[in-house]
Amino acid sequence: MEEWRRWLTSLIPGSSSIPRSTLAVLLVYSFSSQFLPIEPYFVPYITSVKKFSNHQVTVDIFPISVYSQLIFTLLMAPVCLYLSHKVLIILGAFGVLITYLIVWIGQSLLAMEIMQITYGFGVSARLVFSSYIFLLVSEEEYQTMTSLTTTTSLLSFMLASELGQLLAFQEASYGIFFVISLIALGICCAVTFLLPKDHSLSSISSLTSSWGQSKQGWTTLLKETWHGRRLQIFSLWWAVAFAGISLVQNYGTNLFDAVDSKSKLNGHILAASEAAASLGSYCAIYIEKFASKSCLSIYILGSALMGILCVSMGISSKIWVTYCLYITICGIYQTLACLVSVRCGQLLSNGQYILLFSINSFAGLLIETLLQAAIEISGLSIFSQFISFAGFFFLATAICVGLHFVDSSRTSYLVLETEPEHHISDST
């Protein structure tokens, strides 16, 4: 037990106000919620075992999760105000568990469609966990806790992917995939009951009464949440960059197949990209102070580099070059995403973290969904698609450049405002 405590302590740079038992619960939840070796094999299982056609999977089943995730992501904030973060995290964990049970035992098309609704709810509820962490620790520890839980989740996904690849090579039955995944989800559900209670319920009566007295309650709350130019621009970066990396990851295997259809390493490369992302999220702990002093240069350079990498992926003809570019862009994005989400939390003045996370993520999902539909309609080749994806990252670069100029002009204005006062005081 003492060795376990020492290991937890070594993970956290500096001192931490959060109890070690709570930290252990958060990390176990983060790990078990993502240790799902069956997830990369959803489509093969549904088509080969459940006997649904690729057309049914593409048209009748999977789109439901996209729409349900959009709706649930938008609803997470108001529901949190009435049920608390912990309750939603518990419901979300059971939602994912039910999803995998339905996939395993369900037979009808209706069952698969219901499964996509529960999946959309479960994935959206994970967003609540990200904002819930901010309620447990002081502002100085936002970055550390966000990076630690994100790193744990990504490492878990990587290990589950590698385990799934190994089981696939051994031609193991899908039942083994499901048993391992369901055991992990069972642990996840049990652990959620050990999470500390958040304090959102204490403010519900005042919030509901104020909204009942004013028809402009939600509008006022939204304005208060996104008050401040820096927060607005960082939120815009969040949505745009999220849409860009989601499209890159969604179409990554398509690009690999187009470059070299004989390559057998796609699964390992996806796992390596998760490892790079986990490393990036952990490094964000040590980069945070530099990022705050760099006058946005780290965001500008990082966003521009992702755009260049994306263009390079679109013109590359070597599979190893494509692999390296894909791994690198995933690592850079996760580093910046951890920094930006924490920066947004620090800039928030009214403590409505779930509202901030919900709307920002909804905007990113909406942009991704609309652009994905447009790309499919346009009929662009996979190489042209990746070149077009670079536009998201160059737009994110422009957003950071714009924020830099806003800060520079404001600083110059303040200097000009104070100079006459110094002149007068010197003359006197």
Side-chain angles (χ1 to χ4, degrees), residues 216-236:
Q216 302 297 323
W218 274 106
T219 303
T220 303
L221 185 61
L222 288 171
K223 289 180 179 179
E224 291 175 352
T225 302
W226 278 270
H227 177 71
R229 184 61 57 84
R230 292 179 66 86
L231 178 57
Q232 294 168 1
I233 294 181
F234 272 123
S235 295
L236 185 58

Side-chain angles (χ1 to χ4, degrees), residues 333-349:
Y333 169 78
Q334 195 59 58
T335 304
L336 296 180
C338 275
L339 291 170
V340 168
S341 62
V342 170
R343 193 72 186 107
C344 286
Q346 292 170 339
L347 292 170
L348 190 64
S349 59

